[in-house]
Amino acid sequence: MHIRDLPHPDPGVPDVRTAGAFLLWLYRQQLGGQLKALAWGLVNVGAIAASPLPVGLAVQAVVDRDGGRLLLAGGLIMALGVLIALGGTMLHREAVTNWITAVARMQQLLARKTTELGSAMTRRVAAGEIVAVSTGDLEKIGWFVEAVSRFGASAVTTVAVAIAVAVYQPELGVLVAVGVPVMALAVLPLLPPATRRADAQREKAGRATELASDTVAGLRVLRGIGGEELFLGRYRSASQEVRKAAVRSARMWSLISAVQVLLPGLLLIAVVWYGARLALDGTIAVGDLVTLYSAVAFLLFPLRHFEEIAQAYSFAKPSAKRTARVLAQTRPSGGPARSQGATPTGDLHDPVSGLTLAAGRLTAVVCGDPDTAGRLAERLGGHPPQHDEDGGDGTGPLSVVLGGTPLDELPRDIAREAVLVQDKDPMLLSGTLGDLLDVPASGRVGATEALAAAQCGDVLTALAQASVDAAGDPMHTHITERGRSLSGGQRQRLALARSLVTDPEVLVLDEPTSAVDAHTEARIADGLREIRTGRTTVVLTSSPLLLDRAEQVVFLQEGKTVAVATHRELLHSHPAYRAVVTRETDPEPAMSTGQIEESA
């Protein structure tokens, strides 16, 4: 896999049972790249490990005044230098490629999972947690993936050097054979507390990120109530906790680094002392002593990689656990997925609330509670929250049924074609207006018709006036991220136009006109009813203007359907409904005809 081939054609199906299983799956997905990196690592580290031989040969040649062997030693050093440079360059290239391709694979998996679950994702996993996983955690896992090849090459070469030293000089070889495992394993008792401190730092950073996100999102409201400084103070406190946790974590890793320097240094002193005594006794030549010293000094190099892989794994394992937990989220399914086929049609039924929406009609639903309306919208879109009621048999939340087919049994693309839910706060991505309306659609409704039905005339005029490089064409005018350059009502109407262009079989709108004035709302209601003729449209609202234009109104109390009629009939016959719609605190049993006309 090359970087130029990204994104992956198919990121695959990850093994999310455990953190270790996920890391192993990720390694297998790029086995070819890992083997290439290992091969180049062996060239690089092996050439470094072989360098003491020509150095010792050169020293002994000088002692013996042998010019031929000195020339041979120089040639070997030059050849090994070329191999070190080539191996190091290619190792870095392959290792970084493995890092980038692994992170890209995980980002694609997270994007696919987010697309699959939609807004249900943030109901199951905190937004701050998702941000932390998609940024810091993926980088830590990528670091571990990138370090594996260097560690493998260093481990193989270290074993080879220890064996060579034992064969070359058995007396010193025993000392090296005992000392190297001790150096490699000495830091293991320090890793668990270091990991716990690093995990604590990451959790505090995640909470600080979530607090910052909430503060920024509510900045306008905070300024209005004078609470800006209060929340900024809370963020300062949270950031200081992150700093203190980072210092505690760094202290432990500094101790591990110190141990990795101290123990090899002691081993090197022991080898030099013992080797010098052997040289003085005439047991080994001076060149042999230099070779042995250089070989032991080389062991300091792979030990750094041992420390790195230990640190990388201690960070990657909890990160992989969190990533696997996010990727393990699934759409509840009441049965086996249905094979690819035509989009189902018919009535939409929610067994949890008892709500049945007649096909081809404009139905308004009054819940009274915004949270209940939000959960209902999620269920109608095929994303039942985990705390919803189940069928009593432990199988999980009951699925919404469209024309006799449970949405959970439909392939995702067909389910999206069948039912589209527009949230109460729809997202507008940055780009031109043309890009915003360039969405998968049936082709029955054009952009012009959708914009007209959503009463976007003044929005188009404002965009045309704001156009600099688009020659006054509002369709080519750039819209900033989240539509921040637009008012709340303008964003709502553009989002509604986008939904109308899509033209799904069932369109669910959650408070689509809460930010527009009454006259515009009335025109939107008329346009919506006209453009959605023959299609099923559900509007979750308590606005009398929309309710009066609906063909049918369903009233829910405590999440259950309690009344179905027209708006005027419910106003006259149902006091609880009248209290929700007219915002009465003590509704009377009935209303006169004139009062009903006025409230409508």
Side-chain angles (χ1 to χ4, degrees), residues 9-258:
D10 179 13
V13 180
D15 186 346
V16 294
R17 293 174 298 171
T18 62
F22 178 70
L23 290 174
L24 181 60
W25 173 85
L26 194 63
Y27 182 87
R28 289 201 304 265
Q29 295 306 301
Q30 51 185 70
L31 184 59
Q34 291 289 352
L35 292 177
K36 289 180 182 178
L38 178 60
W40 286 113
L42 289 174
V43 172
N44 174 253
V45 184
I48 296 174
S51 298
L53 289 174
V55 171
L57 181 63
V59 171
Q60 192 62 43
V62 172
V63 172
D64 297 339
R65 299 181 182 277
D66 189 336
R69 280 194 295 166
L70 183 60
L71 186 61
L72 175 62
L76 289 175
I77 291 174
M78 290 183 61
L80 289 175
V82 172
L83 290 178
I84 291 172
L86 177 63
T89 300
M90 297 306 297
L91 170 62
H92 181 74
R93 176 187 177 93
E94 294 297 335
V96 171
T97 299
N98 289 336
W99 183 336
I100 294 175
T101 54
V103 172
R105 186 183 301 277
M106 291 184 288
Q107 286 175 335
Q108 286 182 245
L109 289 171
L110 287 172
R112 186 173 68 181
K113 183 60 62 176
T114 303
T115 302
E116 177 186 342
L117 295 179
S119 58
M121 173 70 87
T122 54
R123 288 184 178 271
R124 302 179 183 184
V125 183
E129 179 78 1
I130 297 174
V131 171
V133 167
S134 60
T135 53
D137 283 336
L138 296 194
E139 288 298 313
K140 291 181 177 64
I141 296 173
W143 175 29
F144 173 73
V145 169
E146 182 259 352
V148 166
S149 54
R150 290 200 303 273
F151 167 72
S154 297
V156 171
T157 308
T158 298
V159 172
V161 169
I163 294 174
V165 170
V167 172
Y168 188 70
Q169 181 51 251
E171 294 178 340
L172 286 176
V174 172
L175 179 61
V176 172
V178 174
V180 169
V182 171
M183 290 187 298
L185 300 177
V187 298
L188 290 183
L190 300 176
L191 289 179
T195 302
R196 288 193 295 270
R197 293 190 181 189
D199 210 26
Q201 175 195 351
R202 188 257 175 209
E203 290 180 2
K204 291 180 182 295
R207 288 196 293 269
T209 300
E210 191 168 353
L211 178 60
S213 176
D214 292 342
T215 302
V216 171
L219 194 57
R220 181 179 298 179
V221 177
L222 292 175
R223 286 174 175 170
I225 62 175
E228 181 181 2
E229 286 300 323
L230 174 63
F231 275 79
L232 288 177
R234 291 180 181 176
Y235 178 73
R236 291 190 191 98
S237 176
S239 64
Q240 287 301 314
E241 292 182 6
V242 175
R243 182 189 62 80
K244 293 176 182 177
V247 171
R248 292 186 71 248
S249 178
R251 285 173 180 166
M252 184 58 70
W253 289 111
S254 298
L255 177 60
I256 292 174
S257 298

Side-chain angles (χ1 to χ4, degrees), residues 331 343-365 375-384 398-410 414-422 504-509 532 535-540 552 554 556 561 564:
R331 293 178 61 195
T343 303
T345 59
D347 295 347
L348 186 67
H349 175 68
D350 174 30
V352 175
S353 64
L355 174 67
T356 299
L357 304 166
R361 301 184 69 181
L362 173 59
T363 303
V365 179
R375 291 194 294 269
L376 176 60
E378 292 232 348
R379 286 201 305 273
L380 294 179
H383 294 300
L398 295 171
S399 173
V400 169
V401 178
L402 176 60
T405 303
L407 286 183
D408 289 343
E409 298 182 9
L410 292 175
I414 293 182
R416 292 293 179 269
E417 291 178 4
V419 182
L420 173 66
V421 178
Q422 177 177 304
E505 183 65 30
V506 179
L507 176 60
V508 181
L509 303 172
R532 291 287 297 171
R535 298 284 198 183
T536 305
T537 308
V538 186
V539 183
L540 305 177
Q552 175 180 273
V554 181
L556 272 65
T561 300
V564 180

Side-chain angles (χ1 to χ4, degrees), residues 427-451:
M427 176 72 70
L428 299 183
L429 301 179
S430 60
T432 65
L433 179 58
D435 295 334
L436 176 68
L437 300 178
D438 184 17
V439 293
S442 67
R444 190 177 74 99
V445 179
T448 303
E449 294 85 350
L451 290 167

